[in-house]
Amino acid sequence: MATLAMRAITTIGSCMQKYDVIILGAGAAGLMCAAQAAKRGLNVAVLEKAEKPGKKILISGGGRCNFTNIGTTPSNFLSANPHFAKSALARYRPRDFLALIEKHGIEWHEKTLGQLFCDGSAKQIVQLLLDECNDALGKVDVICDAEVTEVVKDGPANGNGTFGLIANGASYSAPAIVIATGGPSIPKMGATGFAYDLARQFGLKVVEPRPALVPLTLGEDDVLFRELSGVSAPVRARAGSGKVKGSFDEAALFTHKGLSGPAILQISSYWRHGEDIGIAFLPHSDPDWLIQMKRDHPRAGLRKALSEHLPDRLADALSMKLASTLGITTEFGNVPDKILRAAAAQLADWRFRPNGTEGFAKAEVTIGGISTTDLSSQTMEAKSVPGLFAIGEAVDVTGWLGGYNFQWAWASGVAAGSACAETFG
Ligand code: FDA
């Protein structure tokens, strides 16, 4: 245990502001947790380093915030322990958040695949959370421009001590604190790995953080595809292996760096350096569709067959590649069936080996984070440090694209907020 955590709280400062619980970070998870704890009568401080709360909410969903997904199940999340999220997700469901949306009169719509968005603006979600904080039995002080730089606990970390914090020169104390400072995705918004440093300070493990929901980059071997920048097509994208594998039927977009679009963002969470991804360009076609084309249109060629289903530039690139690997250069009538079957198989599982991702700068979320082995799945409290909680993106629970990450922020925030109220109220 670092000596910092053992240091006497009295060294922090004389003018201490005392609360029942202090939440670090006024993002989705932190604000939800604050509202829940205050509803049950607690006096809460939310310390936020930015100048205003909920900045990631404001830019989410293209400004309309995809605030939940009505089809949320634990299988929509990745974690070293896939069971961890079950309890919190079962106790706070998408319909519970939808009930809040209705209570606040926010107009919404379902886009695709169960994704719910505001009709108006993501600002309404931030306002909803602040209104919930204000409309509570207890009090919530959301204190902005308050970057937490130091946290100590008096007495041993595993005892029932008080936490002391310093944020922007001011001192705060509480018997419970909640780490809700998110992950390092989008550093230009001020995102950092602070949650991990703090967790490690108190002896909690951290699962290696990686960028997720992020575009993948292709190397020189795939320059032909990088030249397709701007072309998009519906595909089935696959990545991963064993129990950790994903398959998504959505659009892929070629970019000048490689691959993006919803299908690629989804599988980026399952992809590891050195592995291939598989793309089915015509995911619903029969394995013998090219042989059937040969029977029906023996004078046609591969480029024409592909351009009936795919954008012209993509059909050009794929037929050029297949010409070089399988030698399909003439009309179908002259190509043996087994070559056509091999071409259809390659189109159904086109292998790309990305050479990287576009990194945290472009990642919608971070995969990995504070290890769930050190947290209670019921309360989000650290098993070895009473009064220390962690929620939201800071924790090793990462959702798919499509409103799942906010649902985790709400559910984990509610779990921790209620547990704080039960223990520290
Ligand atoms: P979040 O990052 O929101 O909040 C953490 C807060 O802690 C921040 O306000 C930060 O400033 C503060 N903080 C950090 N360090 C601090 C310190 N030392 N002291 C004090 N404060 C500190 N998800 C989804 O479900 N639907 C969607 O539509 C989208 N769209 C989307 C778009 C884009 C561009 C991005 C980058 C992400 C999304 N997401 C999303 C993901 C979603 O935004 C994300 O999962 C949640 O915001 C995570 O909420 P948290 O509260 O855990 O962290």
Side-chain angles (χ1 to χ4, degrees), residues 25-30 47-50 56 59-61 65-66 146-148 180-182 186 192 194 363-365 391-394 403-406 409:
L47 303 178
E48 168 55 52
K49 83 173 190 182
K56 265 197 191 163
I59 61 159
S60 68
C65 186
N66 177 193
E147 177 172 6
V148 178
T181 49
I186 319 286
T192 66
F194 176 78
E364 204 160 286
V365 287
I391 57 174
E393 195 177 325
Y404 302 100
N405 284 298
F406 279 136

Side-chain angles (χ1 to χ4, degrees), residues 66-73 76 89 93-99 102 108-117 402-404 407:
N66 177 193
F67 54 79
T68 191
N69 190 299
I70 45 169
T72 303
T73 70
N76 305 122
L89 290 172
R93 294 182 182 273
R95 64 168 178 258
D96 296 314
F97 195 75
L98 200 49
E102 303 270 354
W108 58 277
H109 62 279
E110 180 180 345
K111 211 167 173 184
T112 51
L113 305 169
Q115 303 169 8
L116 306 192
F117 285 77
Y404 302 100
Q407 187 58 33

Side-chain angles (χ1 to χ4, degrees), residues 155-282:
N158 61 3
N160 289 320
T162 302
F163 292 87
L165 294 84
I166 294 189
N168 198 17
S171 305
Y172 303 85
S173 78
I177 64 168
V178 184
I179 305 174
T181 49
S185 50
I186 319 286
K188 76 169 186 240
M189 289 186 72
T192 66
F194 176 78
Y196 314 143
D197 297 340
L198 193 51
R200 288 195 190 100
Q201 179 195 321
F202 284 98
L204 310 189
K205 291 183 285 303
V206 173
V207 176
E208 181 207 357
R210 292 182 285 128
L213 302 184
V214 63
L216 299 173
T217 54
L218 295 174
E220 286 308 311
D221 288 352
D222 287 310
V223 72
L224 184 63
F225 290 101
R226 291 201 334 231
E227 283 167 4
L228 298 180
S229 180
V231 171
S232 142
V235 300
R236 176 173 301 145
R238 283 182 288 243
S241 56
K243 285 188 178 166
V244 189
K245 60 181 176 210
S247 172
F248 295 88
D249 281 26
E250 287 192 66
L253 169 72
F254 291 91
T255 71
H256 66 286
K257 289 186 179 168
L259 292 161
S260 187
I264 302 302
L265 298 182
Q266 296 282 31
I267 59 157
S268 70
S269 303
Y270 292 86
W271 176 78
R272 295 266 183 174
H273 273 272
E275 292 180 355
D276 283 353
I277 60 167
I279 303 287
F281 283 107
L282 298 162

